[in-house]
Amino acid sequence: AQLGGSSHAQQYLQNLDEHPNKLMFSQMCNPQAQADARALCQKHLGTVEHSSYLEECVYDVCAGGGEVAAEMTAEMLKF
């Protein structure tokens, strides 16, 4: 079935199907912003047992959560 819409939207959705995590993250956060987010998360998390927590924190900070997202992640890991 074919739906209406722009070719740009069609390409975006096709790329999203093929690379769901990579596409969204790369559009949200450029390499410098990712590095800044990683530094911010490391500041609040220190050494975490599971690297997935660090990656999730970086994603949340880049998604607009800012330092609050890093602080909240650190708080949640205390329990």
Side-chain angles (χ1 to χ4, degrees):
Q2 242 183 358
L3 301 175
S6 69
S7 61
H8 177 72
Q10 179 183 3
Q11 184 64 43
Y12 173 81
L13 293 173
Q14 183 177 2
N15 287 338
L16 185 59
D17 284 342
E18 293 170 6
H19 311 284
N21 296 327
K22 185 177 179 183
L23 181 67
M24 299 266 309
F25 188 65
S26 67
Q27 288 183 346
M28 225 182 351
C29 205
N30 66 46
Q32 182 59 52
Q34 287 180 33
D36 294 345
R38 184 171 303 283
L40 190 59
C41 289
Q42 287 173 331
K43 169 186 163 187
H44 288 283
L45 299 179
T47 304
V48 292
E49 195 171 310
H50 300 286
S51 65
S52 65
Y53 293 129
L54 178 62
E55 295 307 315
E56 290 171 13
C57 178
V58 171
Y59 179 89
D60 289 344
V61 170
C62 280
E67 189 162 7
V68 171
E71 292 169 343
M72 289 175 58
T73 301
E75 283 296 316
M76 288 188 297
L77 292 176
K78 288 182 181 178
F79 295 104

